[in-house]
Amino acid sequence: MSAALVAAVILAVVLTRPEGSSESGGEVLLQPAGKSGPDPFTQSTAREGSTPPSPSELPTSSASANVTRGVDGAAPGLYGGTRKVGSCDVEKQVGALQKDPAKNKAFASVLDIEPSGVPRYLRSLTPVHLRLDTRVTNHGYRDGRATGYQAVLQTGTAVLVDDHGVPRVRCACGNPLLPPVAQKSTPRQTGDAWPGYRSSNVVVVAPATQVVNQFVVYDPDSGDWFTRDKGDTGAGDKKTKPPAPRPPSRHPGTPSPDESTSTASTPPCDARSPGAPPASSCPPSSVLPPSSSAPPSSAEEESPASEPAPPPPSPEADGSP
């Protein structure tokens, strides 16, 4: 059976801090999937699943940490999960914030919504797991207000994503999320790294150009693929065939690794508020290389004549160092 590639558009992004940005502190906190992290908004609302890998020592920082790839929020297989099971308990999250009006107000302020609209907003999101280490702006709660910081969330982290595929809540701590803020130079890594962590593999999720009515999700435990409707917590999940892998391509406007690290002028794909339109400064360039071997779907038996999927592109092909 051909390896099932994550069919996602890559965007060459140089994380360079815009002048005057108040949230660009030059540090990125590495957050393992199972840890709540600093100043959580609520107790964990993530549903129990497989145990995430144990943290390891931080890797040596390099200039490559300053170049991050983007992935399309609508990409099939970008997110994972278990069919019929939501990765987060949305109602528990709603209840936790309703019990604390101050936290609810701070939570709403991050996402640019009214405090009274928080329950409705949370119920509009879709619970899934990250399948790639993902860069975000996380927000803790301290002294009555939300405090933003840059973070990388480990693969396997339970999140709630909006209807353009952008992570908006980290369920292990109830924190609201925004796309990452650009950094002026290679950020210093803090927190706990995990086995296999590489800064060059970190991605930013760019909002899909259109509303995602159905997410195509991969179940790493069973190897199955399924669709989950936006805003559904799993009840309406339907098994589906693996997406067809797409060959790598390179957008003519994509800078080479040398150009990316030297130009350092393009901000990351950003959508500051849930209703903001997708950014246009990040051109598509190629197909995301990470792959996962998926067994044949029950609806489609393995064929002896099937051809293997194309090999993942080299780092030079997708703009990675």
Side-chain angles (χ1 to χ4, degrees):
M1 183 67 180
S2 299
L5 299 181
V6 180
V9 175
I10 290 294
L11 311 169
V13 180
V14 181
L15 297 185
T16 304
R17 179 173 60 189
E19 292 301 324
S21 174
S22 62
E23 293 182 280
S24 304
E27 292 186 356
V28 172
L29 180 69
L30 305 184
Q31 295 194 272
K35 289 192 172 184
S36 63
D39 306 319
F41 262 76
T42 67
Q43 292 184 340
S44 176
T45 58
R47 297 188 187 278
E48 292 186 5
S50 55
T51 303
S54 300
S56 64
E57 294 183 3
L58 286 172
T60 302
S61 180
S62 66
S64 64
N66 206 38
V67 179
T68 302
R69 297 170 298 163
V71 292
D72 187 349
L78 175 59
Y79 294 114
T82 302
R83 191 158 66 100
K84 301 294 184 180
V85 179
S87 62
C88 309
D89 188 332
V90 176
E91 293 306 314
K92 184 177 179 180
Q93 184 68 51
V94 169
L97 290 173
Q98 285 185 322
K99 291 177 182 177
D100 194 325
K103 285 185 177 180
N104 187 76
K105 183 178 180 179
F107 183 95
S109 70
V110 173
L111 297 168
D112 196 22
I113 57 178
E114 292 295 325
S116 61
V118 169
R120 181 179 180 180
Y121 176 73
L122 287 172
R123 292 174 180 135
S124 74
L125 303 178
T126 308
V128 288
H129 284 97
L130 298 177
R131 289 191 66 209
L132 296 166
D133 294 345
T134 303
R135 175 87 174 269
V136 298
T137 298
N138 203 342
H139 294 80
Y141 180 79
R142 184 190 306 166
D143 299 329
R145 65 185 185 89
T147 57
Y149 58 93
Q150 298 308 293
V152 173
L153 308 184
Q154 183 190 12
T155 298
T157 297
V159 293
L160 298 175
V161 301
D162 66 15
D163 59 7
H164 284 80
V166 178
R168 293 298 183 181
V169 180
R170 181 175 184 261
C171 302
C173 51
N175 290 359
L177 306 174
L178 289 177
V181 171
Q183 303 290 306
K184 187 174 182 179
S185 60
T186 301
R188 184 172 68 90
Q189 296 171 349
T190 62
D192 298 312
W194 42 90
Y197 169 78
R198 292 181 60 192
S199 61
S200 59
N201 290 336
V202 175
V203 302
V204 172
V205 178
T209 56
Q210 297 181 340
V211 169
V212 183
N213 291 307
Q214 278 192 334
F215 292 92
V216 179
V217 183
Y218 177 69
D219 185 339
D221 293 328
S222 67
D224 291 334
W225 292 79
F226 61 91
T227 58
R228 175 168 293 173
D229 294 340
K230 67 178 177 69
D232 192 355
T233 57
D237 292 351
K238 296 180 178 63
K239 193 171 181 179
T240 190
K241 295 180 180 180
R246 298 186 298 180
S249 62
R250 182 177 174 82
H251 190 276
T254 301
S256 66
D258 290 342
E259 291 171 335
S260 296
T261 55
S262 61
T263 303
S265 60
T266 306
C269 306
D270 199 355
R272 296 298 298 173
S273 64
S280 60
S281 61
C282 302
S285 62
S286 65
V287 175
L288 185 64
S291 62
S292 54
S293 298
S297 167
S298 60
E300 182 179 41
E301 296 295 325
E302 179 178 1
S303 172
S306 62
E307 297 183 0
S314 64
E316 289 76 13
D318 65 9
S320 299

